[in-house]
Amino acid sequence: MKGMTTMIKRILHKYEGNPIIKPSMLPEQALYTFNPGAIKFKDEYILMMDVTTLDDIHRIWIARSRDGYHFEPDPLPVEWPEPDPDHKETCTYDPRITRIGDEYFILYASDLSQNDVRIGILKTTDFRSFQRVSTASELGNRNGALFPEIRNGLYMRLDRPFGNEMSPCYMWISYSPDLVYWGRSKPLTYQGRPFRDGYKMGAGAVPIKTEEGWLEIYHTVSQTCNGFIYRLKACLLDLEEPSKVLGYTRDFLLWPEHDYEMYGRVMNVVFTCNALLENDGTVKIYYGAADTHIGLAEGKLNEIIQACRNG
């Protein structure tokens, strides 16, 4: 019928009990809770979330859940290992958790100042104590997401080098033999050209390996007349050459639309550091909302992959 439009099906559905974590749930006074890394560990869901305390410092705090919906924060923040003597961290935030064998590696943003950021790496086997692996040598890099596979003796990492927080920047891939020294860095490409989607973009979740390719949930940022809007999309990366994008979602998968996502420390933001694949094919995404709360969205793996293929 003339004048009618086709409604696009929503692929990710927000949990009706959102936000699942608020600052008021912390055992001590907190300003903001946001951007958690997530993993299933034994019989628990683990969230390693950013928590801003009254001294305005971001710390990593763990919350735990049996069902993936109702979380209880630990009594105290993570006891963070000391950094290298020449690298004094002022904030630690945006952790991404990757399992390789029996070890869990946490890549996080290690801040010296607003634009002097490195990717730090810790590891754990129990989510009670943590050991430092390295603080990467290069400044001006964040959004590090470690692939859950070693290829040809090399670890693979999505990252996002940048010069200034306000400048355009995009997803890259880097390789390392030991998680200390990184190289062979290059931007992701789509159809032979640098993959650029939005004013700036960066890795969100740890990539999920599927038969179709590596599924990456990423954030894309739009510039407006008075700020930025952060939203989520997805792309498929080639299994053998993960710097090559096979397809991506032309439409947003997740966007700010509710008050808890639009009003807070940073307005108009949904941002993820995780995507957990359940046995039934459901993907759980625990996301930061306006850098103040944490929400949950769920969708089907096959529908996200199909959206990447269609795009």
Side-chain angles (χ1 to χ4, degrees), residues 123-175:
K123 67 179 179 179
T124 185
T125 57
D126 58 7
F127 288 93
R128 299 291 177 181
S129 61
F130 297 83
Q131 177 184 348
R132 182 168 298 279
V133 176
S134 68
T135 301
S137 58
E138 71 274 12
L139 281 171
N141 203 348
R142 62 170 58 151
N143 295 322
L146 186 67
F147 285 74
E149 181 176 288
I150 300 172
R151 179 72 58 84
N152 298 322
L154 297 174
Y155 294 92
M156 304 179 291
R157 181 188 75 185
L158 294 175
D159 51 33
R160 195 205 72 181
F162 70 104
N164 184 286
E165 190 61 47
M166 303 302 291
S167 301
C169 41
Y170 306 97
M171 283 195 289
W172 286 53
I173 189 167
S174 301
Y175 299 86

Side-chain angles (χ1 to χ4, degrees), residues 183-200:
R184 290 177 52 190
S185 302
K186 55 185 175 181
L188 299 191
T189 60
Y190 178 63
Q191 297 181 348
R193 297 183 178 182
F195 179 47
R196 296 182 175 181
D197 187 11
Y199 181 77
K200 56 181 180 175

Side-chain angles (χ1 to χ4, degrees), residues 170-242:
Y170 306 97
M171 283 195 289
W172 286 53
I173 189 167
S174 301
Y175 299 86
S176 172
D178 56 7
L179 294 175
V180 177
Y181 299 101
W182 294 85
R184 290 177 52 190
S185 302
K186 55 185 175 181
L188 299 191
T189 60
Y190 178 63
Q191 297 181 348
R193 297 183 178 182
F195 179 47
R196 296 182 175 181
D197 187 11
Y199 181 77
K200 56 181 180 175
M201 61 189 296
V206 170
I208 298 173
K209 190 174 185 180
T210 76
E211 293 181 355
E212 300 284 335
W214 292 102
L215 178 66
E216 170 61 21
I217 309 295
Y218 63 92
H219 63 268
T220 175
V221 184
S222 299
Q223 190 177 33
T224 71
C225 60
N226 62 352
F228 294 118
I229 303 175
Y230 281 72
R231 293 172 278 212
L232 300 186
K233 298 178 76 171
C235 63
L236 276 177
L237 308 178
D238 187 87
L239 288 176
E240 299 301 319
E241 181 46 79

Side-chain angles (χ1 to χ4, degrees), residues 38 53 79 113 117 131 145 158 166 214 223 227 230 278 301-302 308:
T53 45
E79 188 173 340
S113 64
V117 186
Q131 177 184 348
L158 294 175
M166 303 302 291
W214 292 102
Q223 190 177 33
Y230 281 72
E278 302 280 29
L301 177 68
N302 61 337
C308 292

